[in-house]
Amino acid sequence: KVTGYQSFEQAQVCSGGVDTTQVNARTLESTRNSGLYFAGELLDIDGKCGGYNLQWAWSTGILAGRSAAKIIREGGDSL
């Protein structure tokens, strides 16, 4: 039973972000706006405390960055 709440600064879980159905899971590129990539807490993903959110941020940052760099290297017009 919830009996109260703390300030936003004390929050352990925040919800919201870009719906993952609108993102290519292999590249993290938006399916609505080519050339737009998402990572970390910009995506609507919730995780447990204890480093999981940090790992998600690092991993998705690497994937989104590599995906964007690949488009540039290949001379694509997404960016």
Side-chain angles (χ1 to χ4, degrees):
K1 180 178 178 183
V2 177
T3 59
Y5 60 92
Q6 298 289 326
S7 67
F8 183 79
E9 288 77 25
Q10 299 296 316
Q12 293 294 311
V13 174
C14 295
S15 293
V18 176
D19 185 338
T20 56
T21 63
Q22 299 174 5
V23 177
N24 179 322
R26 292 182 178 268
T27 64
L28 297 179
E29 183 176 20
S30 170
T31 58
R32 294 186 170 195
N33 298 292
S34 68
L36 179 62
Y37 295 82
F38 300 103
E41 292 184 357
L42 289 175
L43 294 161
D44 188 14
I45 301 287
D46 293 331
K48 291 176 64 175
C49 292
Y52 298 99
N53 287 334
L54 290 173
Q55 183 61 53
W56 172 255
W58 295 324
S59 297
T60 56
I62 288 171
L63 178 57
R66 286 180 177 169
S67 298
K70 183 178 179 186
I71 296 297
I72 293 170
R73 278 193 314 270
E74 294 175 356
D77 58 4
S78 286
L79 293 177

